Amino acid sequence: MTFQIAIVLYPGMTVLDAIGPYEVLRMIPDSELRFVSNEVGPVVSDSGVLALGVTHTFAETPSPDLVLVGGSEAATTEAMANRELIEWLRAVHPTTQWTTSVCSGALILAAADILRGHPATTHWAAQSALATFGAESRPHDRIVRSGKIVTAAGVSAGIDLGLWLVGEIAGEEAAQMTQLYIEYDPHPPFDAGHPDKAPSAIMRKARLEMTKRAAKPRVPLDVATSLWRLTLNRMRDRVAARR
């Protein structure tokens, strides 16, 4: 039986959040990969230069086995306010084998009320936002599993997440073979890849730069919209449970 993998795309997303896991997950035997979004066609990434192609709509993908949602430097809140995306996540999550995220994609899962009561991780700059949606932040963990929900830290952690998932789905040998195929043997020239390691001056500059890049007029409205929809969905769920 084919194992269907749905990787969510949306305008302004960070490419490596999707492509890092894609290069790993496509090695799973008998798998079918889909890039899903509101409509088929190109989606321009956060660079404004590179575009990825949506192969299937949400409506065409009603029951994926694995869902992966990536993040963005500045467009996460817009995705959180994307009604079709959030309702699709709420609809497919009950039947997935794995529901996963990379970077601030965790906030999109949270906006769909998927992370409430679960430990989770995300990019270091977005950790504090998890509590707003009822999730438990795990800022020191690169991958956090809670049942079938698996969240990964910022951007490059998506490759680690992909390998971990291959190990769980296809076995440790398949994961090791995949790691060898892509020659994933990182030896970074610097050791500043996490707030626990980065010099304080670098942290201050990075926070300031990320704040500037994320400053958009619609962000407060997008956050308010996603929180309103989240509250409304919870109310509807309670009403439905009483029937």
Side-chain angles (χ1 to χ4, degrees), residues 91-175:
V92 302
H93 173 60
T95 58
T96 61
Q97 293 185 35
W98 299 99
T99 300
T100 71
S101 67
V102 180
C103 198
S104 60
L107 299 184
I108 301 171
L109 293 185
D113 211 18
I114 289 171
L115 296 187
R116 180 161 45 114
H118 292 275
T121 192
T122 183
H123 190 279
W124 56 264
Q127 291 285 346
S128 60
L130 286 173
T132 305
F133 296 91
E136 176 192 340
S137 171
R138 294 282 182 85
H140 304 291
D141 295 340
R142 194 155 172 86
I143 297 173
V144 175
R145 177 184 183 179
S146 182
K148 69 174 184 177
I149 301 169
V150 191
T151 53
V155 193
S156 65
I159 300 174
D160 295 38
L161 171 65
L163 285 170
W164 186 90
L165 286 166
V166 173
E168 292 293 309
I169 296 164
E172 185 175 318
E173 183 177 282

Side-chain angles (χ1 to χ4, degrees), residues 218-236:
R218 278 193 54 86
V219 167
L221 177 60
D222 290 333
V223 172
T225 299
S226 62
L227 285 170
W228 168 250
R229 288 179 180 163
L230 176 62
T231 302
L232 185 61
N233 283 330
R234 288 179 181 176
M235 292 171 61
R236 289 172 174 171

Side-chain angles (χ1 to χ4, degrees), residues 3-11 13-26 31-45 50-62 64 66-70 85 88 102:
F3 186 83
Q4 189 179 94
I5 300 166
I7 300 176
V8 173
L9 301 184
Y10 55 88
M13 72 174 297
T14 299
V15 170
L16 188 59
D17 286 11
I19 295 301
Y22 158 79
E23 284 292 348
V24 178
L25 295 174
R26 70 189 186 94
S31 61
E32 177 207 356
L33 275 126
R34 298 185 172 197
F35 287 106
V36 301
S37 193
N38 299 67
E39 57 185 34
V40 172
V43 170
V44 180
S45 67
L50 183 60
L52 298 177
V54 177
T55 62
H56 295 78
T57 65
F58 295 132
E60 292 172 328
T61 312
L66 188 156
V67 169
L68 185 138
V69 184
L85 167 56
W88 179 77
V102 180

Side-chain angles (χ1 to χ4, degrees), residues 169-220:
I169 296 164
E172 185 175 318
E173 183 177 282
Q176 290 178 339
M177 290 284 286
T178 299
Q179 183 178 11
L180 181 58
Y181 289 152
I182 66 171
E183 201 169 344
Y184 181 55
D185 185 27
H187 290 78
F190 305 102
D191 193 23
H194 189 272
D196 292 342
K197 300 178 178 181
S200 57
I202 296 298
M203 276 298 302
R204 286 194 297 271
K205 290 181 179 180
R207 286 187 184 280
L208 179 60
E209 184 64 25
M210 293 194 72
T211 299
K212 289 179 180 177
R213 293 184 183 182
K216 296 174 63 179
R218 278 193 54 86
V219 167

